Amino acid sequence: MLFLLGVAWVLVVSCRALLRGRRSGRGPVVTWQLFQLIGSVAAIGSGTGITVVGGWVALVLALLVGGLLMTPSVVAVTSATGSED
């Protein structure tokens, strides 16, 4: 339980950093999306009803969030190389 609370705390802090335009939040969030991706593939491969549906939902969300974190606009906002216009 303490481990899961620690993971949740890291994700909350990372999301707050991303919302403030800091690049330090990208790493933990991308790592979490990779874990979600692996877990969703395992759930899809389990072959049982609701677990497969949940796996597909988690897979789509993980790919969506991971892809959005890599868009040029997000990278520009959360990095020092973004242009100041």
Side-chain angles (χ1 to χ4, degrees), residues 1 13 15 19 22 32 38 44 48 50:
M1 184 68 162
V13 170
C15 288
L19 289 173
R22 296 183 187 149
W32 179 253
I38 293 167
I44 292 168
T48 60
I50 193 73

Side-chain angles (χ1 to χ4, degrees), residues 4 7 11 26-38 62:
L4 293 177
V7 170
L11 289 173
R26 265 190 309 189
V29 174
V30 169
T31 303
W32 179 253
Q33 296 311 310
L34 291 173
F35 285 138
Q36 288 291 101
L37 184 78
I38 293 167

Side-chain angles (χ1 to χ4, degrees), residues 2 5-6 8 10 13-14 18-19 21 27 29 37-38 40-41 43 45 47 49-50 53 56 63-64 72 80 85:
L2 291 175
L5 287 173
V10 168
V13 170
S14 297
L18 284 173
L19 289 173
V29 174
L37 184 78
I38 293 167
S40 64
V41 169
I50 193 73
V53 174
W56 279 109
L63 290 174
L64 182 68
D85 289 333

